[in-house]
């Protein structure tokens, strides 16, 4: 398995481009099940999770090819309505095939996703939403077995705002008979991107980007092309790297991003003392003289994203004082904390609250990745630590960051990938 070897102490400056959004691609790709034909998804990031989704769709008969960052998907032949455990256990987002399969074919057998590093990841909202649309759903042998004649529009209110459940129900409803209303729908930009893509395929959806969606079912859709939105979490992660170890006499500029998708993060970085210049498709950051301790509470969009919580803790670990990080989306998403403590961070966690007391220095160590965003926080801390940090099992990072080591190295970081050893 690969590891990253990070030499701390380097100062970052220069320009880097953001890649396409992982969590948009993982929703757009299964949407191609909704109509036969050829689709082109531009600016699709080169990631393990995208490869996993490609392999799943190929087992269902779709033909997928990649030319640089353009994915061509031909869904003319669909030979299976099943998402087997082997795929779903690798990536929870595999469940996104459920909605389109039930919506178009009235049939789906999708393995229940396991938990993940930080706890259970239920799918009750997905199931309840599809049942309201008229699907018969049995949970049997670790699978969600769904059957339906033709789905019928319904009024659905999600008890909890759920990105995945909103995506699945939206993809099921676009071919249902009649109107579906979804309240408390997720508003994340990746779900808005899915809604726009479905509309470009002929779907009738009002309220895209809001938490109130009205979907008028149609009899058929058609293939389309789209340009995947930039990855707001990758952009935020690179911004925090710059705030932590940027050259104070220079700046880091992130291009091809969508600043409005991470205004909660940029605002908090300004509170920390960084100076940001925000353009239409770029953000330039000058690091703070010293890092002010700033509390955050994760929230649904457009609040502070839970996927930036681990990275924020890394930043606060070198702040001039104490800060409180409250995680409201997941219970127990703090697997990164014990590893950060090994680098010298002073963090205590009680219930869903992490208290971080800033320290003057971190020291490099061997640390273990546990999940995607936790790994990113370890890299960030390693950049700021004195000496060498080895981040093990970076396959977690490869799931959601396209060549992050090359992007950081292009800004001046000393980070390299080592392969081969069993860590
Ligand atoms: C998406 O996961 C993202 N993944 C996650 O990003 C992100 O952390 C999450 O949304 C929240 O923003 C993708 O888009 C592929 P949810 P998802 O359903 O859809 C509870 C990353 O790092 N819930 O919005 O699985 C759930 O337990 C990943 O890129 C139910 O109770 O998240 C959680 O507490 C990690 N029942 C909350 O809702 C359900 O049926 C939000 O989960 C579904 C969810």
């Amino acid at each position: 398995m690969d590891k990253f070897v990070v030499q701390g102490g380097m100062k970052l400056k220069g320009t880097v481009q953001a890649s396409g959004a992982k969590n948009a691609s993982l929703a757009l790709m299964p949407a191609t099940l909704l109509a036969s034909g050829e689709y082109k998804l531009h600016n699709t990031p080169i990631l393990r999770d995208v490869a996993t989704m490609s392999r799943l769709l190929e087992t269902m008969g779709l033909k997928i090819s990649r030319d640089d960052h353009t994915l061509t998907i031909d869904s003319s032949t669909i030979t299976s309505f099943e998402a087997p455990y082997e795929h779903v256990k690798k990536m929870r987002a595999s469940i996104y095939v459920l909605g389109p399969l039930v919506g178009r074919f009235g049939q789906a057998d999708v393995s229940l996703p396991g938990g993940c590093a930080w706890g259970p990841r239920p799918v009750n909202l997905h199931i309840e939403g599809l049942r309201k649309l008229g699907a018969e759903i049995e949970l049997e042998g670790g699978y969600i077995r769904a059957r339906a004649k033709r789905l019928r529009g319904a009024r659905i209110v999600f008890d909890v705002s759920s990105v995945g459940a909103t995506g699945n129900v939206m993809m099921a409803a676009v071919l249902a008979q009649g109107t579906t209303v979804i309240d408390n729908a997720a508003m994340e930009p990746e779900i808005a991107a899915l809604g726009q893509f479905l509309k470009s395929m002929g779907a009738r959806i009002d309220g895209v980007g809001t938490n109130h969606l009205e979907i008028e079912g149609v009899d058929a859709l058609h293939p389309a092309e789209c340009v995947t939105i930039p990855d707001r979490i990758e952009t935020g992660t690179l911004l925090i790297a710059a705030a932590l170890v940027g050259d104070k006499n220079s700046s880091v500029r992130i291009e091809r991003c969508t600043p409005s998708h991470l205004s909660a993060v940029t605002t908090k970085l300004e509170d920390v003392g960084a100076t940001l210049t925000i353009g239409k498709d770029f953000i330039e950051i000058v690091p703070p003289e010293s890092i002010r301790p700033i509390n955050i509470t994760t929230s649904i969009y457009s609040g502070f994203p839970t996927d930036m919580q681990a990275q924020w803790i890394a930043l606060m670990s070198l702040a001039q004082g104490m800060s409180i990080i409250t995680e409201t989306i997941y219970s127990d998403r703090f697997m990164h904390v014990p590893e950060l403590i090994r680098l010298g961070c002073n963090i205590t966690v009680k219930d869903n609250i992490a208290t971080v007391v800033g320290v003057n220095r971190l020291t490099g160590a061997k640390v273990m990745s546990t999940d995607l965003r936790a790994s990113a926080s370890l890299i960030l801390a390693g950049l700021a630590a004195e000496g060498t940090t080895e981040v093990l099992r970076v396959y977690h990072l490869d799931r959601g960051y396209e060549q992050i080591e090359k992007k950081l190295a292009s800004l001046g970081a000393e980070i390299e990938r080592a392969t081969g050893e069993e860590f």
Side-chain angles (χ1 to χ4, degrees):
M1 277 186 262
D2 289 0
K3 66 180 178 181
F4 282 148
V5 181
V6 184
Q7 302 302 337
M10 309 304 287
K11 294 300 172 198
L12 306 188
K13 62 183 178 183
T15 299
V16 71
Q17 276 78 36
S19 296
K22 165 179 85 81
N23 292 346
S25 296
L26 294 178
L28 298 171
M29 292 169 72
T32 63
L33 289 163
L34 284 164
S36 274
E38 185 176 274
Y39 299 72
K40 287 198 182 296
L41 308 183
H42 304 289
N43 198 34
T44 300
I46 300 171
L47 301 171
R48 282 172 64 97
D49 275 7
V50 170
T52 301
M53 181 63 80
S54 296
R55 276 200 304 280
L56 169 60
L57 294 173
E58 284 169 341
T59 66
M60 300 167 76
L62 283 73
K63 303 276 181 295
I64 301 179
S65 59
R66 175 186 277 278
D67 172 12
D68 190 25
H69 287 83
T70 292
L71 219 50
T72 301
I73 298 182
D74 184 341
S75 62
S76 307
T77 310
I78 296 179
T79 55
S80 161
F81 302 136
E82 181 173 341
Y85 177 65
E86 295 69 35
H87 288 273
V88 180
K89 72 178 178 178
K90 277 187 223 147
M91 183 181 67
R92 169 185 171 78
S94 306
I95 195 169
Y96 266 141
V97 301
L98 180 63
L101 285 175
V102 178
R104 181 169 171 218
F105 301 103
Q107 181 178 344
D109 292 304
V110 176
S111 168
L112 274 165
C116 68
W118 65 78
R121 300 281 296 277
V123 290
N124 58 307
L125 298 173
H126 299 245
I127 292 167
E128 287 156 20
L130 292 177
R131 279 181 170 146
K132 285 220 65 179
L133 292 171
E136 298 288 327
I137 296 186
E138 301 294 324
L139 301 185
E140 188 257 320
Y143 277 74
I144 302 166
R145 302 199 185 283
R147 298 293 182 273
K149 288 185 183 51
R150 183 175 180 191
L151 296 180
R152 293 180 312 282
R155 295 182 63 84
I156 294 163
V157 185
F158 285 125
D159 296 338
V160 172
S161 173
S162 161
V163 170
T166 303
N168 249 333
V169 170
M170 190 161 58
M171 287 193 278
V174 290
L175 289 174
Q177 192 148 28
T179 303
T180 297
V181 175
I182 306 175
D183 276 309
N184 201 19
M187 297 184 277
E188 272 67 6
E190 296 76 24
I191 290 299
L194 173 63
Q196 293 302 354
F197 185 53
L198 292 170
K199 289 178 78 168
S200 73
M201 290 168 60
R204 291 201 199 124
I205 310 174
D206 283 333
V208 169
T210 75
N211 60 5
H212 177 86
L213 298 173
E214 297 204 8
I215 301 164
E216 186 61 46
V218 295
D219 292 335
L221 297 172
H222 54 75
E225 274 191 68
C226 81
V227 179
T228 308
I229 60 171
D231 196 309
R232 60 195 169 100
I233 305 302
E234 181 199 33
T235 304
T237 304
L238 292 167
L239 286 170
I240 290 187
L244 256 177
V245 291
D247 180 335
K248 291 184 171 48
N249 303 314
S250 182
S251 68
V252 168
R253 183 185 173 96
I254 300 167
E255 297 182 334
R256 299 183 59 192
C257 65
T258 303
S260 62
H261 287 169
L262 63 160
S263 56
V265 176
T266 52
T267 304
K268 287 287 184 179
L269 283 169
E270 287 169 337
D271 296 346
V272 161
T275 306
L276 275 69
T277 306
I278 295 177
K280 183 173 160 303
D281 60 356
F282 74 87
I283 300 172
E284 193 151 345
I285 179 170
V286 176
E289 276 310 312
S290 65
I291 298 169
R292 285 193 212 114
I294 297 294
N295 301 339
I296 60 114
T297 297
T298 64
S299 162
I300 60 172
Y301 191 79
S302 59
F304 195 95
T306 174
D307 293 347
M308 287 295 302
Q309 178 254 102
Q311 300 92 311
W312 194 260
I313 286 185
L315 177 63
M316 289 298 104
S317 293
L318 285 169
Q320 306 295 312
M322 184 180 84
S323 57
I324 307 288
I325 285 88
T326 306
E327 173 59 62
T328 70
I329 304 296
Y330 293 106
S331 56
D332 189 22
R333 188 181 188 173
F334 291 111
M335 300 291 285
H336 37 285
V337 168
E339 296 304 308
L340 286 167
I341 289 171
R342 300 189 62 246
L343 294 171
C345 300
N346 180 348
I347 311 166
T348 50
V349 174
K350 185 168 176 6
D351 300 329
N352 265 15
I353 296 174
T355 301
V356 183
V357 179
V359 295
N360 294 323
R361 61 197 282 271
L362 301 177
T363 47
K366 269 190 184 182
V367 287
M368 184 75 74
S369 301
T370 52
D371 61 87
L372 170 55
R373 307 305 175 183
S375 321
S377 73
L378 298 176
I379 294 222
L380 296 174
L383 291 171
E386 290 169 8
T388 305
T389 295
E390 296 190 3
V391 181
L392 310 184
R393 296 189 178 174
V394 291
Y395 62 84
H396 288 290
L397 264 166
D398 293 334
R399 291 189 56 174
Y401 288 98
E402 181 176 333
Q403 298 193 325
I404 186 99
E405 78 276 20
K406 291 191 177 154
K407 290 182 178 175
L408 289 169
S410 74
L411 295 172
E414 251 196 75
I415 176 171
E416 60 177 21
R417 182 184 289 258
T419 56
E421 287 172 67
E422 188 52 33
F423 309 116

